[in-house]
Amino acid sequence: MPLVLSQQLAVAGDSSTTPLPPASTTTQVDGYILTLAGEVMAGAAHTLTVTVSKDGSPVTDLQPYLDTYAHLSAFHEGDLALAHLHPMGATSGAGGGPTLSFEAMLPKAGSWRLFVQFQTAGVLHTAAVTLPVS
């Protein structure tokens, strides 16, 4: 069971935000296509999968970055609540992918902006996508 800690912070400055891009199940970065699958519901743990491909082929050479094959940071539209997730399973050298499974437990319904970081050939990639949470 994942542990979720939260604390509201007050930060000085302009708090205006711009609307998020529309929700999608795919996104692209540096020639890679990331496809999301799974329905995430607020307050409950659900599996969210991210599949990485390039040029129509599954990517199987993900490298560990900070001891895991990917980092997923999610920000809630409106109040910028944050969740940081790692894929489930062991990391054992280069050769991760193409599918990464995350136990996603997001506390609030609404739109979340996801940033998925993964590394190939020593290069760190960051993909962004909007996910609706019911």
Side-chain angles (χ1 to χ4, degrees):
M1 170 72 73
L3 177 63
V4 178
L5 302 175
S6 66
Q7 177 66 43
Q8 286 192 325
L9 300 173
V11 178
D14 181 18
S15 64
S16 63
T17 58
T18 58
L20 292 179
S24 179
T25 57
T26 62
T27 188
Q28 297 182 29
V29 63
D30 303 330
Y32 293 90
I33 297 174
L34 281 70
T35 304
L36 281 65
E39 184 177 344
V40 179
M41 293 185 289
H46 287 67
T47 300
L48 175 67
T49 61
V50 176
T51 303
V52 184
S53 63
K54 186 172 186 178
D55 299 326
S57 298
V59 172
T60 58
D61 63 344
L62 298 179
Q63 298 172 320
Y65 169 65
L66 299 175
D67 293 328
T68 187
Y69 289 124
H71 293 262
L72 189 155
S73 297
F75 295 88
H76 184 260
E77 183 176 41
D79 64 5
L80 299 181
L82 166 69
H84 182 88
L85 310 172
H86 294 163
M88 297 183 281
T91 304
S92 57
T99 301
L100 304 166
S101 296
F102 298 86
E103 186 173 3
M105 187 168 163
L106 301 177
K108 298 179 178 184
S111 293
W112 288 76
R113 189 68 171 164
L114 277 56
F115 295 91
V116 181
Q117 291 186 302
F118 62 97
Q119 183 170 288
T120 58
V123 177
L124 182 64
H125 310 279
T126 303
V129 65
T130 302
L131 176 74
V133 173
S134 55

